[in-house]
Amino acid sequence: MKFSRIIGTGGYLPEKVLTNRELESMIDTTEQWIMSRTGISERRIAADDEFTVDLAEHAARQAIDAAAINPREIDLIVLATTTADQVFPSTACLLQHRLGLEGCPAFDVQAVCAGFIFALGVADNFVRSGASRCALVVGAETFSRIIDWSDRRTCVLFGDGAGAVVLTADSQPGVLSTHLHSDGKYKDLLCVPVGISRNFSKVQAGAAYTTMQGGEVFRWAVTAMSDLIDEALTANRLHKEQLDWLIPHQANIRIIEAVGKRAGIPKHKVVVTVQQHGNTSAASVPLALDQAVRDGRVTAGQYVLLEGFGGGFTWGSALLKM
Ligand code: COA
């Protein structure tokens, strides 16, 4: 039996830090409101001349270094983003060129904040089927570009960043399971309601902004992400006590705490980065994984459950044996 296994992780955050105190001078809010309702104290914002591919390249190079592979071994690139550099080519193709690679398939996956989990699911299937031996999987976002910075209900929540992993074929797991779900009937609860084919004039006018029904999204995220834990553990015949780490999508500390409580996962087993990163959409899970690997919390042999939730709605998990 062939499995895919993560052999290197990487992450990148833009230099510019945007604090809650700075937001107080931009919109009608307070540092204390943001902290108490979201747990976010700061987020990073890409520079004007910094694009999603730039963030992705930093994270990818770090993951390649950590994996100690020759980049030429990479035979698949799957990149999750909501904020592609261009309509086309895909940001994955732009990244492939930056890395000096050619010929291997490179494509984007769009599942918003669950994007990295979807990309990992796709790459895992490529590796397990034998179509790929070494895959680069990236989540990268310049989400600040699709935020209305005068809308206090959304602008305090999001940030920019990128995370990446290198996956290789192995006889030992690795990725034990992935579970991916979508339900488009919730399309209006969290969206950017304009694009290329619809309302393009708004895009041209610079008004392609995220809109959200926060309360509804909150309730759905808690239910979906706690159900994902049961689904993954049941499928792998594991008890929650055997799980070493839960790495959930980093949207809001209150969502993360409610998921842990509902699923019965103690706080000390949950990786949290939302305080410093905000919600970096497709980058949030790989950034949190990279942080927990680099600071020594996640180690070889542990069971780690990654899970994401985003607009669509989309939601999914990946259970890993590190
Ligand atoms: N600063 C100050 N007040 C704010 C504010 C801000 N940044 N944003 C909203 N408010 C106000 C609202 O306008 C509302 O005022 P009103 O009662 O006069 O209308 C009040 O605060 C309470 O809003 P409410 O929506 O009840 O707050 P909440 O406790 O539900 O928290 C969110 C709002 C957005 C933080 C919360 O709903 C949430 O996190 N939802 C999920 C969002 C998310 O994670 N999305 C991405 C998922 S991938």
Side-chain angles (χ1 to χ4, degrees), residues 23 27-34 36-40 112-114 143 151-158 189-190 210 212-219 221 225 249-255 279 281 308-311 313-314:
L23 281 167
I27 47 165
D28 180 15
T29 193
T30 62
E31 207 174 0
Q32 198 263 337
W33 191 97
I34 302 171
S36 65
R37 302 296 178 104
T38 71
I40 299 168
V112 205
C113 301
F143 216 85
D151 177 7
R152 68 177 184 173
R153 292 164 303 170
T154 51
C155 76
V156 302
L157 301 173
F158 295 94
L189 295 183
L190 176 58
T210 301
M212 182 183 70
Q213 293 184 31
E216 283 288 297
V217 173
F218 191 108
R219 276 186 288 282
M225 287 207 289
H249 173 47
Q250 307 287 316
N252 180 322
I253 191 69
R254 288 161 57 220
I255 295 178
N279 180 348
S281 187
F309 175 85
F313 289 141
T314 51

Side-chain angles (χ1 to χ4, degrees), residues 125-137:
N125 275 290
F126 265 72
V127 172
R128 283 194 295 111
S129 74
S132 165
R133 285 201 56 77
C134 184
L136 175 65
V137 186

Side-chain angles (χ1 to χ4, degrees), residues 63-106:
I64 290 166
D65 281 351
I69 57 158
N70 182 330
R72 303 218 158 269
E73 290 175 53
I74 293 168
D75 59 10
L76 171 70
I77 300 174
V78 190
L79 186 146
T81 190
T82 316
T83 47
D85 280 41
Q86 300 174 199
V87 174
F88 69 85
S90 68
T91 308
C93 282
L94 305 183
L95 177 63
Q96 179 188 41
H97 181 59
R98 288 279 183 92
L99 296 175
L101 303 177
E102 56 196 40
C104 73

